[in-house]
């Protein structure tokens, strides 16, 4: 346990806004609208029951996956909830702080610090918002040091019914990690994905 703790300190809490990340993207950035995830009749029934549909995979150095949720609100309300970064610490499990540090056209740069078993893990992301195309995609900000080796992802927002409003929400993330303890890897590759759409549903429907 002592060696694990020392190893963790060398990796986590290494995030630094004043140090470049050390490499450009390993994962391929998302630059166009993602295709909708196909749904079976059983998938749709699960979503209509208010449950989250989770499809994910985990490897030795990270993981990828998508979470899907039906939200009983219109797409504008869903976007408003997703982009309200100031409220993330109050709304999102394990988020310690969330701060927008730059805005430029469609791009929003965000510092997000999570607390995992009492330790801070930080990532800096550049989020490109394409509301008219129904999605927002992100990569790491490679001008700043993040605790993830690399990470990409997207939100996909599609209103599928007007009255009453119903929006299909997809949240996808892919992460690569190097030398981090398993509980950090589990959170960044699966835990954050599992929680991803549930809080948006809760606060969009209020």
């Amino acid at each position: 346990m002592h060696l694990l703790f020392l190893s963790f300190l060398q990796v986590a809490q290494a995030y630094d806004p004043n140090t470049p990340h050390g490499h450009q993207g390993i994962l391929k950035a998302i630059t166009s609208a993602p295709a909708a995830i196909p749904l079976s009749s059983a998938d749709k029934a699960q979503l209509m029951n208010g449950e989250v549909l989770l499809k994910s995979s985990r490897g030795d150095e990270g993981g990828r996956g998508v979470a899907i949720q039906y939200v009983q609100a219109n797409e504008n309300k869903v976007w408003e909830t997703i982009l309200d970064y100031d409220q993330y610490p109050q709304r999102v499990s394990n988020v310690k702080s969330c701060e927008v540090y730059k805005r430029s056209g469609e791009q929003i740069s965000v510092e997000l610090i999570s607390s995992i078993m009492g330790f801070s893990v930080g990532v800096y992301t550049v989020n490109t918002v394409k509301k008219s195309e129904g999605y927002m995609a992100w990569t790491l900000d490679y001008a700043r040091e993040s605790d993830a080796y690399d990470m990409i992802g997207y939100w996909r927002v599609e209103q599928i019914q007007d009255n009453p409003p119903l929006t299909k929400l997809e949240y996808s993330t892919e992460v690569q990690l190097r030398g981090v303890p398993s509980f950090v890897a589990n959170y960044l590759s699966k835990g954050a994905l599992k929680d991803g759409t549930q809080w948006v549903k809760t606060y969009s429907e209020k």
Side-chain angles (χ1 to χ4, degrees), residues 1-13 116-117 119 179-186:
M1 179 64 72
H2 181 61
L3 291 177
L4 175 63
F5 178 76
L6 291 177
S7 174
F8 179 75
L9 288 181
Q10 292 172 358
V11 178
Q13 297 181 292
I116 307 173
M117 294 183 66
F119 296 100
V180 302
S182 60
F183 65 87
V184 177
N186 285 335

Side-chain angles (χ1 to χ4, degrees), residues 70-118:
Y70 278 174
V71 182
Q72 295 177 4
N74 62 44
E75 60 185 358
N76 289 333
K77 182 62 177 178
V78 173
W79 276 120
E80 178 184 312
T81 302
I82 292 170
L83 295 173
D84 194 0
Y85 292 108
D86 289 343
Q87 294 299 313
Y88 276 38
Q90 288 75 44
R91 295 176 173 179
V92 188
S93 175
N94 293 320
V95 170
K96 183 178 177 181
S97 67
C98 186
E99 179 181 349
V100 174
Y101 59 87
K102 184 179 180 181
R103 294 181 185 269
S104 178
E106 297 176 324
Q107 292 188 336
I108 306 173
S109 299
V110 178
E111 176 195 72
L112 189 144
I113 311 300
S114 301
S115 179
I116 307 173
M117 294 183 66

